[in-house]
Amino acid sequence: MSKFGELIDLQVPVLLEFYTHWHEASEAMNPVLKDVAAALGDRARVIKIDVDKNSELAEALRIKGLPTLMIYKEGEMKWRQSGEQDANTLIGLIKEYL
């Protein structure tokens, strides 16, 4: 959990995707997240968190649906939504916190 605190406590926005390898919608987000990361470069971070390997964290954050996406900045959650999103929507959301 302390490592999670370090991940989200950055000056730049951090987009988190909670996913599993066996979930189809989670897998569909892979190219979208690559596009987001490429478009924003070092102005933001994109991090994928496998809920199967991080069940305590997923439970603490009440992750129910997959994929669940969150944007954090300086340790504070700014946005959260479950379900697939397109790259342009995510880029627009992250730009609000740059």
Side-chain angles (χ1 to χ4, degrees):
M1 287 291 228
S2 62
K3 190 171 183 181
F4 179 72
E6 292 170 24
L7 286 178
I8 62 170
D9 195 21
L10 299 176
Q11 300 295 317
V12 297
V14 180
L15 173 65
L16 301 175
E17 181 206 11
F18 289 85
Y19 76 101
T20 62
H21 289 290
W22 50 264
H23 192 266
E24 201 172 304
S26 294
E27 288 297 304
M29 286 299 297
N30 287 338
V32 171
L33 294 176
K34 284 182 181 162
D35 290 347
V36 171
L40 294 169
D42 352 342
R43 296 182 297 163
R45 300 245 346 248
V46 177
I47 299 169
K48 294 173 56 93
I49 298 175
D50 187 334
V51 295
D52 289 335
K53 294 179 182 172
N54 297 280
S55 57
E56 281 182 40
L57 177 61
E59 194 173 309
L61 292 171
R62 295 186 175 95
I63 304 295
K64 302 290 184 220
L66 294 176
T68 293
L69 300 158
M70 298 179 188
I71 297 173
Y72 278 86
K73 185 170 182 181
E74 296 175 2
E76 183 183 335
M77 185 189 302
K78 302 292 188 180
W79 176 86
R80 174 182 175 147
Q81 189 166 328
S82 293
E84 293 179 63
Q85 298 289 316
D86 64 83
N88 289 335
T89 299
L90 291 172
I91 291 166
L93 285 163
I94 293 168
K95 282 184 174 179
E96 290 179 30
Y97 304 108
L98 291 176

